[in-house]
Structures are given as structure tokens and as C-alpha cells.
Amino acid sequence: MNPVFAPRGNKAEIEEGAAFAPKFDADGLIAAMAIDSVTREPLMLAYMNEESLRRTLEIGEAVYWSRSRKEFWHKGATSGHVQKIVEIRTDCDQDALVLVVEQVGAGACHTGRGSCFYRRVVKGPDGAAALEFTGGGRTFDPGAVYGKA
Amino acid sequence: MNPVFAPRGNKAEIEEGAAFAPKFDADGLIAAMAIDSVTREPLMLAYMNEESLRRTLEIGEAVYWSRSRKEFWHKGATSGHVQKIVEIRTDCDQDALVLVVEQVGAGACHTGRGSCFYRRVVKGPDGAAALEFTGGGRTFDPGAVYGKA
């Protein structure tokens, strides 16, 4: 059976209740941050619509909604790098999700890295903000995995 | 000087470059997940506009944009629970941020808890999705901190 979500209640019900009443934004989306179940490190941030959240709960693997491609995005369907759901958390006002996942395969990021968050913001030589690569290099060859150069 | 962000380049520049060119959505916002610098646990997910990201970089404390109140939200200005920025990361396409923060005070959540993500999604007795509270109870009294019942 498709999981059915509760209607949005009042503030106390939403914040202190046991009913799952996720809030989707004007575009019908909710932000979902996937974190690694072992290291707890952030892997990626993507969005789900109501149906992709239902599918995620049904199959136990992360299914996002691709805002750019406007289609369901069963993470890992192409690369094999699926995200097995260990736990889903929601926040106080139930308008954001944390997916605690077992990341299958070498990594979450299409660039060939374990995490999409491989750069930190630093102050550049001219005082403007710049990016610096963090330790985590590529863990797989995206060309080999996705079949494109 | 206000940090100035780079213009959005091509895909390779955005994904593999050192220029910080954050992508704000149609509403001018970018999602920012704050995580604890010590435990690495997710604390809260909120949004920033360009100016709040600039202010965050300037003062070294998280300044969000409140979508509900439509105003700048210097986290902790009322409660004292500021979030000192340890590191800011961005993702491959630079449309999401992770704020690694030192959470000052008892917690990040206005409900009186350390993290906003204090409930997990479980299967309820009727098969529908429900919420279960996780271990972390209240770490402060929101009434005392925010001055309302």
C-alpha cells in the first residue's frame, strides 16, 4: 500500500505530534539531505515530491525528483550507486528531510566523488570568496560508470 | 568588503572550478544544512539569499533568510544560540550549502532541542507512515529562552 501522509495540523501537532505531515513547497517539493549512515557526512542534497517520497518509503531506496530533468530519479538506477534507506528524519516543521543512507558503490556524486560537498568556501587572494577542494578526490571514474566521456 | 560571488560559468567551471558561483533559485534562495562541527549531526535546514550568505561570510555566524517572516534571520540573535561558522561547503552544481558550525548554547531548534531532526519516519500500526521521537529530548526551555509560553 502506498504510504499516505497526514494532513497538516496545527503548530503543536506538526512539531510535537506523531503524524507524518510533510510540507511540500509551492513547486510540490521538499528538500532531502542524504547523509552516510556510518560516517554521518553529508552526501548530497536533492528534492522529492510527494510521489517520490512515497516510492522511497516503499522500496527502501532514495528516489528523488529531478528539478532539471523534471522526472523521477531513482538514485543509482544508472550507476548502481543506490542509497539504501537506514532512517528518514524530518524536522520540527516537517518541511525538510534527512535521509540516513547506506551508500552502495563508490560514491554519491556524479563527478566521481564520495560526496557532492567536496569544496569549501575560503577567502581568495583578492578578498572575494573562492573554493578550495577538500581531501576527498575521485573514488570512481564517472565516464566508466555513466558511459560518457 | 562584501564578498562578491562569481558569475555562473559552464558545467566544468561550476563543478571543477575554484570560483564560488552559488546558484539561487527562482525565489533567490539557496538551501543550507547546518551540521555540528563535532558530532557531524544535522542540526537544521534553512535558506539563504545572496545578502544573507554575504553577511554569514562577513560575520562568521549563520544568517539565514526566513521564508515565513520574509526577513533576515541571524540565528541566535534572540536565543543567544548563534552558530559560529567553522566551514562552509558547497556541492557539485553549487546550489546547496553545508554549514559546519559550532552551535553555541543548548541547541539549534526553537522547540528546545539540540537538533530540529528529532523524529524519524516509521511504519505506523495501520501501515501508514508515522513519526517516532528519537533519543534527544529537550536541552533547554524554549519559554525561558524566547520569553513566551
Side-chain angles (χ1 to χ4, degrees):
Chain A
M1 193 192 76
N2 269 347
V4 176
F5 306 125
R8 297 278 292 176
N10 62 33
K11 188 174 158 73
E13 289 166 338
I14 290 167
E15 292 184 352
E16 303 295 335
F20 186 34
K23 182 180 183 183
F24 299 90
D25 68 13
D27 296 318
L29 301 176
I30 188 168
M33 171 69 84
I35 71 171
D36 188 283
S37 63
V38 178
T39 66
R40 313 302 286 186
E41 290 296 322
L43 296 174
M44 56 181 282
L45 189 143
Y47 292 82
M48 291 183 172
N49 61 15
E50 198 168 331
E51 180 58 23
S52 62
L53 178 54
R54 276 203 197 93
R55 292 189 190 183
T56 298
L57 290 167
E58 271 178 34
I59 70 172
E61 295 181 352
V63 179
Y64 302 102
W65 176 258
S66 168
R67 295 182 300 171
S68 54
R69 297 193 304 271
K70 299 191 190 311
E71 62 183 23
F72 290 104
W73 170 24
H74 178 185
K75 172 72 184 163
T78 304
S79 65
H81 301 170
V82 298
Q83 297 178 327
K84 294 191 180 176
I85 302 292
V86 174
E87 187 174 271
I88 298 180
R89 297 233 182 164
T90 192
D91 66 345
C92 43
D93 54 359
Q94 300 196 39
D95 69 352
L97 302 173
V98 167
L99 314 179
V100 183
V101 304
E102 179 194 336
Q103 176 64 60
V104 175
C109 186
H110 76 286
T111 66
R113 297 175 174 93
S115 163
C116 295
F117 295 95
Y118 49 85
R119 287 170 297 179
R120 69 169 68 90
V121 179
V122 294
K123 192 168 280 190
D126 57 354
L131 295 178
E132 180 180 81
F133 284 73
T134 58
R138 284 205 168 83
T139 51
F140 64 95
D141 173 3
V145 169
Y146 296 103
K148 45 189 177 185
Chain B
M1 194 191 77
N2 267 350
V4 177
F5 306 125
R8 298 279 290 177
N10 63 33
K11 188 174 157 72
E13 289 166 339
I14 290 167
E15 292 184 352
E16 302 295 335
F20 186 34
K23 183 179 183 184
F24 299 91
D25 68 13
D27 296 319
L29 301 176
I30 189 168
M33 171 68 84
I35 71 170
D36 187 284
S37 63
V38 178
T39 66
R40 313 302 285 186
E41 289 295 320
L43 295 174
M44 55 181 283
L45 189 144
Y47 292 83
M48 290 183 172
N49 61 15
E50 200 169 329
E51 179 58 24
S52 61
L53 178 53
R54 276 204 198 92
R55 292 189 190 183
T56 298
L57 289 167
E58 274 179 31
I59 70 171
E61 296 181 351
V63 179
Y64 302 101
W65 176 257
S66 169
R67 296 182 299 173
S68 55
R69 298 193 303 273
K70 298 190 191 312
E71 63 183 23
F72 290 104
W73 170 24
H74 179 185
K75 173 72 185 163
T78 304
S79 64
H81 300 170
V82 297
Q83 297 179 326
K84 294 190 178 173
I85 302 293
V86 174
E87 187 175 270
I88 298 181
R89 298 235 183 163
T90 192
D91 65 346
C92 43
D93 54 357
Q94 300 196 40
D95 70 351
L97 302 172
V98 166
L99 315 178
V100 183
V101 303
E102 179 194 336
Q103 175 64 60
V104 175
C109 187
H110 77 284
T111 65
R113 297 175 175 94
S115 163
C116 295
F117 294 95
Y118 50 83
R119 288 171 297 181
R120 69 169 67 90
V121 178
V122 294
K123 191 168 281 190
D126 57 354
L131 296 178
E132 180 179 82
F133 284 72
T134 58
R138 284 205 168 84
T139 50
F140 64 95
D141 173 3
V145 168
Y146 297 102
K148 46 189 176 184

